[in-house]
Amino acid sequence: MVRLWVLNTLPAHWERCRDGPTDAEVHPARHVGHPWHGIPSGGRAPDPRELTPGEDLFVVRQTGGVGVSGIWTFEEARRVVDQEIVPDVWRDHDGETRDYDWLLYCRGSPEREVEPPMREDFGGSFPFHHSKLTGTGIAMDGDDRAAYVEALIDHGVSDTAQRRLRAALEAPATGGLRAADSDPPARTEYTTTRTIRDTKLSAMAKELYDHRCQLCGDRRERRDGSAYAEAHHVKPLGEPHRGPDTAANLLVLCPNHHADFDYGRVRVDPDSLVVEHAFDDAVDGTLLTVDADHELDAAYLDYHNDRIASF
């Protein structure tokens, strides 16, 4: 039975995680070159004794706003006895040296690397705040799990990844995550409310702009060469904003400028459409591209400028 876990990694650790161990004298030869991850001492993470080799899926995300970068299958756990087997770059956590309790050897299937990464829309379609993902690993159940599966499929992953992700929807609750050597946590039931997005609407908007960013004109590509862009709700869908899922509230953006809108680093004058950017001189002072067939509502730009933009 496939279960779904979210694992966090610092961007500085990502390449080492993706590329896997390299020394067959230190690590089992069968795992050399395959993705891996680690659990720091005392970290909130999957208890390796609860993981099922060959079945459990890890949605691996880079922190710092990068997003989901891989979907891996758990293969084997190894308790760390000697810290020398842990990569030096992993032990460096923003200048603090951390010890590790476990190594998690994985396989890079169904998606060794999600390109470009899928950045979660915590202000819109995701049913929880990003603070819920604090820690190394988090179990995904119920609406939270469904939100990740639907978002990844909508983002664009392989057919194999889609099948594995859908299989994870059928799994029972994982019972939560805990530090690998801690006592079982107390449990409580809760209900979440998830905003349902109209994916056809965002697809139509992307087609209208040929998947080009309305801010910079950039057109990104997936691994297979197909075009990639992201839909941004100017007035966010989630609480406390409760914006509408309509074309009038939608922009088509590249991943970078989508992040800049989310973090309030962009303003757009509702009347002139002149862009003001906190740090990107290439777009600061330019005009937002708006197609004649796109009736963007100036009221939502006003809302963004007043409530979200901050610089």
Side-chain angles (χ1 to χ4, degrees):
M1 183 69 72
V2 178
R3 294 177 298 173
L4 192 68
W5 315 82
V6 170
L7 297 186
N8 289 313
T9 186
L10 295 174
H13 298 180
W14 163 247
E15 290 188 5
R16 197 70 175 88
C17 290
R18 178 198 63 196
D19 297 343
T22 58
D23 190 345
E25 295 184 2
V26 176
H27 303 279
R30 64 186 180 279
H31 297 314
V32 170
H34 293 285
W36 60 334
H37 206 284
I39 301 178
S41 299
R44 179 187 181 211
D47 183 339
R49 293 164 293 193
E50 295 182 356
L51 298 174
T52 305
E55 291 191 9
D56 281 7
L57 281 183
F58 291 155
V59 171
V60 186
R61 60 189 300 274
Q62 297 186 64
T63 58
V66 178
V68 175
S69 302
I71 308 171
W72 304 340
T73 302
F74 169 70
E75 190 66 22
E76 183 181 355
R78 177 184 182 183
R79 184 178 285 278
V80 177
V81 177
D82 183 353
Q83 297 298 319
E84 291 297 321
I85 71 172
V86 181
D88 290 339
V89 67
W90 283 9
R91 299 194 65 200
D92 181 1
H93 283 243
D94 296 327
E96 176 189 355
T97 300
R98 297 281 300 276
D99 286 344
Y100 276 68
D101 287 340
W102 295 89
L103 297 180
L104 304 177
Y105 297 111
C106 305
R107 291 296 178 264
S109 61
E111 205 90 352
R112 187 182 191 114
E113 186 166 12
V114 176
E115 295 181 321
M118 186 205 78
R119 201 171 58 82
E120 302 95 327
D121 180 16
F122 290 115
S125 62
F126 271 69
F128 53 84
H129 190 264
H130 63 79
S131 60
K132 186 173 183 178
L133 297 180
T134 301
T136 302
I138 305 90
M140 288 291 107
D141 293 318
D143 285 347
D144 299 352
R145 179 170 56 191
Y148 262 105
V149 170
E150 292 172 9
L152 281 163
I153 291 174
D154 184 47
H155 179 76
V157 293
S158 67
D159 290 343
T160 301
Q162 292 186 36
R163 287 194 297 272
R164 295 290 308 283
L165 289 166
R166 289 192 174 103
L169 287 179
E170 301 173 1
T174 63
L177 284 187
R178 55 191 175 94
D181 294 308
S182 67
D183 294 329
R187 298 174 183 176
T188 184
E189 293 184 359
Y190 65 94
T191 301
T192 62
T193 300
R194 182 168 59 89
T195 303
I196 305 300
R197 293 186 302 164
D198 186 346
T199 56
K200 291 183 180 179
L201 179 66
S202 63
M204 291 173 61
K206 294 171 187 178
E207 287 294 330
L208 179 63
Y209 288 98
D210 192 29
H211 292 78
R212 293 188 181 277
C213 177
Q214 289 180 245
L215 207 65
C216 67
D218 193 16
R219 188 175 191 267
R220 310 299 296 173
E221 291 185 354
R222 294 186 174 93
R223 183 184 306 173
D224 63 2
S226 61
Y228 175 79
E230 297 181 354
H232 171 70
H233 291 89
V234 184
K235 183 178 182 179
L237 302 184
E239 298 290 349
H241 310 288
R242 299 184 63 81
D245 190 15
T246 63
N249 188 36
L250 210 63
L251 291 176
V252 175
L253 301 170
C254 66
N256 286 346
H257 287 128
H258 190 177
D260 293 346
F261 263 94
D262 279 351
Y263 290 118
R265 311 312 286 160
V266 184
R267 292 191 184 96
V268 178
D269 185 279
D271 299 317
S272 66
L273 298 181
V274 172
V275 174
E276 184 180 358
H277 199 288
F279 59 86
D280 189 346
D281 293 339
V283 297
D284 188 48
T286 62
L287 295 180
L288 181 74
T289 299
V290 180
D291 190 275
D293 292 329
H294 182 188
E295 296 183 2
L296 181 64
D297 194 327
Y300 301 131
L301 292 175
D302 264 329
Y303 184 93
H304 170 87
N305 293 342
D306 291 342
R307 299 285 299 274
I308 299 172
S310 177
F311 61 94

